């Protein structure tokens, strides 16, 4: 059995990857994207966090969050997002992926992978690498040739603020950064 050790830094900044069950592309569906936004906002009202950057792809999302001073409970926030989404999605006749018998017996639904990946941001370079990684992700996965063509991202907010040029993140090799995301 694997043993996972999570790092908890009060008031920290974290990078997350959350994946759907068997990488099923639930978020191709506009109603799924809207529901995720709804439960994301409800969670943020209950347990505030600052969403620094995020991207939603068809089968997963990445985000960078900073938590309030003294708060390190990102696990509960992600659990709420995943459980609210699952509950409401199934109530609205959304489908789920077929689960194994043992997964069904444990009460797992066919919407999300059981766990998520988290990384504590250590310094400004680490933050910049993860920030760019999030925004480049739709190009990396081949959904678009330029970051600006992917609508489900905070990239557009950062173009408006002047952080990124609209043409940042093309699929040209010279534009790809060598990210160290360990």
């Amino acid at each position: 059995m694997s043993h996972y050790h999570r790092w908890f830094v009060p008031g920290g900044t974290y990078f997350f990857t959350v994946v759907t069950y068997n990488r099923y592309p639930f978020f191709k569906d506009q109603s799924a994207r809207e529901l995720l936004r709804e439960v994301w906002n409800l969670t943020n009202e209950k347990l505030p966090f600052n969403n620094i950057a995020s991207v939603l792809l068809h089968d997963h999302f990445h985000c960078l969050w900073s938590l309030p001073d003294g708060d390190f409970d990102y696990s509960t926030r992600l659990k709420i997002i995943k459980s609210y989404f699952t509950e409401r999605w199934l109530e609205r006749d959304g489908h789920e992926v077929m689960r194994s018998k043992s997964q069904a017996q444990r009460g797992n639904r066919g919407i999300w992978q059981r766990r998520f990946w988290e990384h504590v941001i250590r310094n400004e370079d680490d933050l910049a690498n993860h920030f760019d990684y999030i925004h480049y992700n739709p190009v990396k996965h081949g959904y678009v040739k330029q970051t600006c063509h992917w609508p489900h991202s905070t990239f557009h907010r950062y173009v408006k603020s002047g952080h990124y040029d609209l043409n940042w993140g093309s699929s040209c090799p010279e534009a790809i950064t060598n990210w160290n995301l360990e």
Side-chain angles (χ1 to χ4, degrees):
M1 175 179 218
S2 296
H3 296 284
Y4 296 94
H5 183 75
R6 298 212 184 271
W7 292 99
F8 299 99
V9 176
T13 300
Y14 301 88
F15 169 83
F16 303 103
T17 301
V18 182
V19 181
T20 61
Y21 187 73
N22 285 346
R23 288 206 171 256
Y24 186 84
F26 287 105
F27 300 112
K28 278 180 135 177
D29 183 318
Q30 182 177 340
S31 63
R33 292 190 304 269
E34 290 170 357
L35 179 58
L36 183 62
R37 177 184 295 274
E38 176 185 316
V39 299
W40 182 287
N41 290 335
L42 283 170
T43 303
N44 199 0
E45 288 172 16
K46 271 181 100 157
L47 294 169
F49 57 88
N50 177 25
N51 181 54
I52 298 167
S54 56
V55 65
L56 175 62
L57 301 177
H58 297 320
D59 61 359
H60 70 284
F61 66 83
H62 297 289
C63 54
L64 263 172
W65 289 353
S66 63
L67 298 183
D69 288 342
D71 189 342
F72 56 82
D73 193 5
Y74 57 79
S75 291
T76 297
R77 288 167 171 87
L78 289 170
K79 180 180 180 181
I80 290 171
I81 288 171
K82 289 168 70 174
S83 63
Y84 278 11
F85 179 88
T86 299
E87 178 183 303
R88 291 169 185 186
W89 178 249
L90 295 174
E91 282 174 359
R92 297 176 186 184
D93 295 323
H95 62 284
E96 63 182 308
V97 177
M98 180 76 88
R99 302 163 286 158
S100 71
K101 185 177 179 180
S102 66
Q103 290 164 327
Q105 287 172 338
R106 283 186 257 142
N108 296 334
R109 303 307 306 235
I111 307 289
W112 298 103
Q113 276 187 1
R114 284 189 60 214
R115 292 184 171 85
F116 56 87
W117 193 81
E118 118 282 333
H119 168 80
V120 177
I121 300 299
R122 297 179 304 265
N123 55 42
E124 290 298 319
D125 287 341
D126 195 24
L127 177 65
N129 282 338
H130 285 82
F131 187 83
D132 286 347
Y133 178 83
I134 284 171
H135 293 119
Y136 189 76
N137 213 246
V139 177
K140 175 186 176 241
H141 285 282
Y143 290 119
V144 293
K145 293 204 183 289
Q146 281 190 283
T147 304
C148 64
H149 295 145
W150 190 253
H152 315 297
S153 166
T154 53
F155 175 76
H156 307 284
R157 174 192 335 157
Y158 289 105
V159 168
K160 287 179 186 172
S161 74
H163 181 83
Y164 285 125
D165 178 84
L166 184 62
N167 294 315
W168 181 90
S170 72
S171 58
C172 302
E174 63 271 10
I176 298 173
T177 306
N178 184 18
W179 289 294
N180 179 9
L181 300 182
E182 295 182 25

